[in-house]
Amino acid sequence: MSVYQLSTVRTRLEQLLDDSAFAVALSNQFINDGQRDLCNSRHLVFMEREDDVTTTASSNSLTGLPTDMQSPISLRIYTPIGNSTKLKYIEYDELDASIPNQTYAGNNIPAYWYTFNLIPYIYPYANDTYTLKLKYIKSPAELSADADVPEIPESFSEALVLAAYKRALLFNDEDSKAQLIQQQIDVLLDRMVERYKRQSGEPRVLKGN
């Protein structure tokens, strides 16, 4: 069984195209563009990550934001333990309307967070250094080396191959065929979301005998 990596995805793409004439760099571009298409079309839980960020006294900014962050999900104060809490999300325009100048609110323990230009900020301005846990959706990593492993799980590698194939078809101005392939991709995407969706309901505690 072949290893799941960029080179094997590229080989499967060439088999679909029945053509290996595309330069490796162009085929890789189709695969990367296809992977971005997949990741940007649904909320995929396997793209969720968590990282530490910190506040700075007298500032609403956070330091240590992950470089692969595409979209923040939530923020909670982690340390000091006595201040541990989940921050409430608020829209920045709502905050601007109620408190046009945030500096007048003074410095305190952060209670809210908001985003502007996709960057998370806190309110009120921090009165100390706090460590926060940031949950976020990561951007798919660029695949360049043959041994690079795609973000899409191997069990749904067909979706990635088809997404790259659709990109190649569009490159060749085969728009009608690309639309048909997109229908197949949508079916696989729905199955993937269902397979990897987060469990709902109350967790069950297993009791020993």
Side-chain angles (χ1 to χ4, degrees), residues 67-180:
T67 57
D68 63 351
M69 182 180 69
Q70 185 182 73
S71 177
I73 299 174
S74 67
L75 275 168
R76 71 184 193 277
I77 298 177
Y78 193 67
T79 59
I81 292 177
N83 300 119
S84 296
T85 187
K86 183 177 180 180
L87 304 190
K88 296 180 180 179
Y89 179 76
I90 185 172
E91 295 289 347
Y92 75 82
D93 52 354
E94 182 180 349
L95 186 61
D96 288 348
S98 57
I99 308 172
N101 189 333
Q102 294 181 34
T103 59
Y104 283 135
N107 302 332
N108 211 324
I109 301 170
Y112 299 89
W113 73 283
Y114 62 95
T115 60
F116 182 70
N117 193 25
L118 299 179
I119 299 173
Y121 296 92
I122 55 166
Y123 174 81
Y125 281 38
N127 61 344
D128 205 343
T129 299
Y130 299 91
T131 298
L132 284 70
K133 292 290 185 179
L134 167 68
K135 283 186 171 67
Y136 66 97
I137 298 292
K138 74 181 291 290
S139 297
E142 187 80 8
L143 305 171
S144 55
D146 280 353
D148 286 350
V149 178
E151 306 279 7
I152 304 301
E154 184 175 5
S155 55
F156 284 92
S157 59
E158 183 184 359
L160 177 57
V161 175
L162 288 176
Y165 182 41
K166 188 196 82 169
R167 282 287 185 159
L169 292 172
L170 292 173
F171 181 82
N172 285 334
D173 295 324
E174 298 182 65
D175 293 10
S176 297
K177 192 171 183 179
Q179 291 178 6
L180 294 175

Side-chain angles (χ1 to χ4, degrees), residues 6-20 22-32 157 160-169:
L6 174 60
S7 62
T8 54
V9 174
R10 191 171 60 241
T11 297
R12 291 170 63 184
L13 171 62
E14 291 170 351
Q15 291 169 347
L16 273 181
L17 291 167
D18 194 24
D19 182 5
S20 59
F22 281 118
V24 169
L26 186 56
S27 295
N28 288 352
Q29 178 184 321
F30 295 149
I31 295 169
N32 279 295
S157 59
L160 177 57
V161 175
L162 288 176
Y165 182 41
K166 188 196 82 169
R167 282 287 185 159
L169 292 172

Side-chain angles (χ1 to χ4, degrees), residues 57-73:
S58 303
S59 175
N60 66 344
S61 299
L62 297 166
T63 59
L65 291 172
T67 57
D68 63 351
M69 182 180 69
Q70 185 182 73
S71 177
I73 299 174

